[in-house]
Amino acid sequence: MDFNWNFFWEVVRASGKAIPLTLYLALWSFFFGLLIALVIAILRYKKVLILDKIAEIYVSFIRGTPIILQLYLVYYIIPAIVDNFMIKHGFSFRMNQVEIKKLVVLTLSINMSAYLAETIRGGLNSLGRSEIEAAMSIGMTGGQVLRRIIIPQVLVISIPNFSSHLIGIIQATSLAFYVTLVEITGTARIMAMDNWNYYEAYLATGLIYWLLTISVEIITFIIEKIVAKRGYSLKTR
């Protein structure tokens, strides 16, 4: 079988136009996932009564189930439950009013939050108690210690792992095609349906994802250099 280079580059160009959508899904999912993860990690680190157990079960469930299942739950099951509730109570809102990409972001955020929470919790456990005790001794409140000492240091320590998680979520956006959202992989699959050149199509998408991964790695390297120049350590204590 001859390799169709013309179709390969045609897929690269067409799928490349879907990169903004893929980045939209990945970056917003990472952002919201990080916010959720911070709350979960702090609850578990502080061992807040009952809430830490709920957070533990949440992390266990999300990490223990496939992301495609979570996507189907958010796309099919939850909308059916919400719509049934709205109809029953006379509300006009329906889940089909919500954009599909927002449902995908919700799913990826939930999934990413469980993994990021464990990364952040590991960073919290690696912090030395001396700085925290010193800050408390000069009159800083628990909230101030959390905002000014704990969270900044944990985020710095976790940069390499954050990079890996971001790469993972970029690749996970390819599942959005299963709920009719045409991103990079979806574009390639649709194009390949016309001539059955799936080999060229998938290699083209692989090239695009690889370049996106390299970009994330370069940005991470730059961030690490900037952080190192400012005197922070990326090594756990």
Side-chain angles (χ1 to χ4, degrees):
M1 181 179 68
D2 294 331
F3 190 87
N4 191 336
W5 283 104
N6 289 332
F7 182 69
F8 173 83
W9 291 114
E10 184 180 341
V11 173
V12 169
R13 288 191 293 271
S15 297
K17 294 179 182 178
I19 289 177
L21 175 58
T22 293
L23 292 179
Y24 172 93
L25 297 175
L27 295 177
W28 278 115
S29 298
F30 185 86
F31 173 74
F32 289 121
L34 182 59
L35 294 182
I36 299 170
L38 281 169
V39 175
I40 293 171
I42 292 170
L43 287 176
R44 298 192 67 188
Y45 178 72
K46 294 285 189 179
K47 298 189 183 301
V48 179
L49 185 63
I50 299 177
L51 294 180
D52 68 321
K53 294 301 180 183
I54 295 175
E56 184 179 350
I57 294 171
Y58 170 87
V59 170
S60 176
F61 176 79
I62 298 301
R63 284 162 58 94
T65 54
I67 188 172
I68 187 67
L69 173 62
Q70 297 163 17
L71 184 60
Y72 284 153
L73 285 173
V74 172
Y75 186 74
Y76 293 110
I77 307 301
I78 293 178
I81 295 172
V82 172
D83 285 348
N84 183 62
F85 176 84
M86 293 296 173
I87 292 171
K88 185 176 180 180
H89 291 84
F91 296 107
S92 60
F93 174 80
R94 297 293 180 270
M95 283 298 294
N96 60 13
Q97 297 173 228
V98 180
E99 291 181 283
I100 295 175
K101 64 181 181 180
K102 292 181 180 178
L103 294 177
V104 174
V105 167
L106 174 61
T107 304
L108 295 178
S109 298
I110 291 172
N111 181 268
M112 189 53 46
S113 67
Y115 292 92
L116 288 172
E118 289 301 281
T119 296
I120 295 170
R121 192 165 71 96
L124 287 170
N125 290 333
S126 71
L127 286 178
R129 293 284 180 178
S130 57
E131 284 187 72
I132 298 174
E133 291 173 357
M136 298 291 284
S137 68
I138 62 173
M140 291 181 69
T141 64
Q144 289 174 325
V145 171
L146 189 66
R147 291 194 308 272
R148 299 182 183 182
I149 296 177
I150 296 178
I151 290 180
Q153 290 196 48
V154 168
L155 293 181
V156 167
I157 290 170
S158 304
I159 286 175
N161 287 326
F162 285 167
S163 172
S164 297
H165 290 313
L166 180 56
I167 289 171
I169 204 169
I170 288 174
Q171 295 170 355
T173 59
S174 61
L175 297 174
F177 183 67
Y178 288 100
V179 291
T180 72
L181 195 61
V182 183
E183 36 60 72
I184 293 173
T185 303
T187 301
R189 290 183 63 176
I190 290 172
M191 293 179 68
M193 288 177 185
D194 294 333
N195 52 25
W196 292 85
N197 287 333
Y198 286 99
Y199 185 58
E200 291 87 345
Y202 288 137
L203 282 178
T205 56
L207 174 63
I208 293 173
Y209 284 117
W210 181 42
L211 293 175
L212 288 174
T213 297
I214 291 174
S215 299
V216 172
E217 291 173 343
I218 291 172
I219 293 172
T220 302
F221 176 78
I222 294 172
I223 292 174
E224 288 178 344
K225 288 295 183 182
I226 293 173
V227 169
K229 285 182 179 179
R230 294 189 176 183
Y232 294 102
S233 173
L234 292 177
K235 296 180 180 179
T236 56
R237 301 184 178 192

